[in-house]
């Protein structure tokens, strides 16, 4: 028997609330982008920041879309190319399909938000819950006003577990997302001054994260970082809504308590009490921050009815993804340097974590620990201070050399002693050659910056000009 389609034609049409012109086949996937569209996908013509999906609706149908969901007033334009569903508002229709997917699901649903670690936590949950049942998780970092309904609309009816990431740049964004996801278990990884330019204070950020409670199912549980300064504020807000609070961390009162951890260069070993169950597991990627996130992950596994022992086994297979700690050996056999790619994202919390991680990474005899740092963006008025403070951390752990670029990183660079200053440029592009030229066999080099700082090309240049030997563990 063929697997059930994601949506039968009738269920899909009913969920959109629209009207179909022509024969609607079953829908096997959902797409909002013709570049990644697959045959059988329903294409939603979303109005984005730069593009109007309606400009691609015809191409979507020609590429084999089962239908195109478009605004009523333009439905007639595309009906020659295939089945068209006209709706009053395309984004609302996508939300409605997402809500219908959630309504028909009998899965345990986990919602993840927080200032850092959302995607990593979601990916870890996806990995470690899989041995306990069919597990579905949102793709990539799809966590905003279109990403969340898109992820929900793809939620298969058969899934046992569903994991959804929710993000925000401003107050009032997480609430509506959470009401769509309706998690049984909500995780707030941590609260840090990220996107602070849109907020008055860290407390205001905590309040915006707490909006996840608005959609958390009655009787649901929230997992909160017990070691975070905002814990009490968040716990009070959750309790006010009648939710059960479970803290994770090192704190003596944490219900999910770290008992012991060993952070090795390629992995960590953890022993923790997960609400009374003592488990020991290995995390297949390094970093203290991943140990912290793993406590929330294991707590959610237990609360969702997953198998803790199997989850612990699976955790050993975790790999740091590209841009978020991926490790590569560059150079030639017996003359390699270690490259750590952190180019996807940077804020004070993840910067500290990455620097601590580099400090822990062994180098060969004569090798140096080198950080290549681009601006952390969206930090508002205190940005230069927050950058300069990172210099203290670098001096404390004793990194050997720092290359920096961007106007904010200038503050960090100037705060370093001359022997640690490797080079500075206004833009990443102009730093590339000096970094490539400086790295020698035996070194460990970590590249980090906000995506907008464009540090990725430095990583690529290191790879192409030194040569990639192997993916390190
Ligand atoms: N708990 C944490 N504390 C500090 N840094 C973290 C934590 N979790 C993840 N990170 C780091 O933050 C960066 C972004 O991680 P990611 O999981 O993509 O977060 P998000 O989805 O919230 O943007 C990565 O460099 C990662 O190593
Ligand atoms: Mg993310």
């Amino acid at each position: 028997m063929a697997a059930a389609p994601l949506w039968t034609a009738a269920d899909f049409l009913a969920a959109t609330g629209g009207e179909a012109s022509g024969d609607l086949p079953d829908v096997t996937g959902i797409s909002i982008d013709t570049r990644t569209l697959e045959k059988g996908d329903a294409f939603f013509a979303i109005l984005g920041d730069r593009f109007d999906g309606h400009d691609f609706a015809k191409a979507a149908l020609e590429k084999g879309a089962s239908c195109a969901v478009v605004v009523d007033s333009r439905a007639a334009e595309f009906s020659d190319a295939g089945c068209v569903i006209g709706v009053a508002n395309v984004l609302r229709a996508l939300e409605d399909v997402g809500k219908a997917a959630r309504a028909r699901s009998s899965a345990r649903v986990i919602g993840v938000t927080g200032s850092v670690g959302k995607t990593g936590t979601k990916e870890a949950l996806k990995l470690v819950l899989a041995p306990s049942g069919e597990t579905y998780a949102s793709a990539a970092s799809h966590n905003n006003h279109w990403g969340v309904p898109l992820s929900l609309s793809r939620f298969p009816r058969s899934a046992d577990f569903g994991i959804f990431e929710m993000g925000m740049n401003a107050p009032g964004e997480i609430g509506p997302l959470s009401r769509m996801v309706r998690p049984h278990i909500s995780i707030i990884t941590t609260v840090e001054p990220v996107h602070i330019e849109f907020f008055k204070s860290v407390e205001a950020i905590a309040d915006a994260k707490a909006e996840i409670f608005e959609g958390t199912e009655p009787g649901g549980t929230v997992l909160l970082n017990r070691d975070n300064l905002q814990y009490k504020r968040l716990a009070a807000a959750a309790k006010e809504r009648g939710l059960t609070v479970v803290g994770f961390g090192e704190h003596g009162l944490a219900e999910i308590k770290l008992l012991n951890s060993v952070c090795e260069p390629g992995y960590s070993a953890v022993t923790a009490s997960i609400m009374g169950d003592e488990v020991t597991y290995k995390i297949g990627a390094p970093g203290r921050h991943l140990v912290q996130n793993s406590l929330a992950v294991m707590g959610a596994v237990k609360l969702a009815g997953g198998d803790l022992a199997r989850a612990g086994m699976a955790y050993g297979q975790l790999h740091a993804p590209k841009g978020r700690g991926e490790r590569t050996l560059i150079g030639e056999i017996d003359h390699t340097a270690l490259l750590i790619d952190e180019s996807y994202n940077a804020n004070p919390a993840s910067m500290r974590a990455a620097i601590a991680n580099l400090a822990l990474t062994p180098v060969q005899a004569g090798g140096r620990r080198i950080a290549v740092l681009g601006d952390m963006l969206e930090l508002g008025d205190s940005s230069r201070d927050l950058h300069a403070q990172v210099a203290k951390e670098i001096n404390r752990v004793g990194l050997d050399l720092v290359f920096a670029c961007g106007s904010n990183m200038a503050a960090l660079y100037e705060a370093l002693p001359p022997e640690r200053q490797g080079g500075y440029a206004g833009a990443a592009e102009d730093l590339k050659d000096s970094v490539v030229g400086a790295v020698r066999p035996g070194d460990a080099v970590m590249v980090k910056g906000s995506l907008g700082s464009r540090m990725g090309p430095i990583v690529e240049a290191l790879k192409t000009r030194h040569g990639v030997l192997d993916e390190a563990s």
Side-chain angles (χ1 to χ4, degrees), residues 254-259 271-279 295:
E255 289 87 356
I256 301 170
K257 188 167 163 32
L258 182 66
L259 299 175
T271 301
S273 166
I274 314 296
M275 290 169 269
D277 284 339
E278 192 170 315
V279 288
L295 301 174

Side-chain angles (χ1 to χ4, degrees), residues 365-451:
R368 303 155 304 167
R369 294 182 181 85
I370 305 173
V372 184
L373 307 177
D375 276 352
M376 303 182 277
L377 302 177
E378 298 184 345
L379 292 178
D381 292 343
S382 46
S383 186
R384 282 184 68 86
D385 278 351
L386 289 168
H387 279 77
Q389 282 165 23
V390 175
K392 283 198 206 106
E393 195 65 15
I394 289 173
N395 290 329
R396 193 179 66 79
V397 302
L399 299 187
D400 296 297
L401 211 52
V402 175
F403 290 84
C405 56
S407 54
N408 291 307
M409 271 298 165
L412 179 149
Y413 194 72
E414 285 156 16
L416 290 170
E419 66 273 18
R420 293 212 157 96
Q421 293 179 327
Y424 173 83
E429 187 58 31
D430 302 321
L431 193 67
K432 206 162 66 181
D433 288 338
S434 46
V435 171
V436 170
V439 172
R440 301 192 303 242
D443 291 342
V445 52
M446 185 272 289
V447 183
K448 190 165 182 77
S450 288
L451 196 58

Side-chain angles (χ1 to χ4, degrees), residues 116-120 165 289 292-293 324 342 345 349-350 353 448:
V116 279
K118 295 180 290 298
T119 302
E165 174 174 341
H289 59 293
Q292 190 181 59
N293 298 347
R324 295 189 184 85
E342 288 270 2
N345 189 314
S350 72
K448 190 165 182 77

Side-chain angles (χ1 to χ4, degrees), residues 112-123 140-141 143 165-166 189-190 192 194-195 209 225 248 286 288-290 292-293 320-321 323-325 341-354 357 448:
V112 183
T113 192
S115 300
V116 279
K118 295 180 290 298
T119 302
T121 298
K122 176 207 64 167
E123 289 297 320
S141 261
N143 67 19
E165 174 174 341
M166 287 170 259
T189 55
T190 189
E192 298 278 349
V194 175
H195 306 303
K209 304 287 179 203
N225 188 330
F248 63 90
R288 178 75 189 77
H289 59 293
L290 296 186
Q292 190 181 59
N293 298 347
R324 295 189 184 85
D341 175 9
E342 288 270 2
S343 60
Y344 182 76
N345 189 314
N347 53 58
S350 72
M351 191 59 95
R352 280 194 302 275
N357 226 348
K448 190 165 182 77

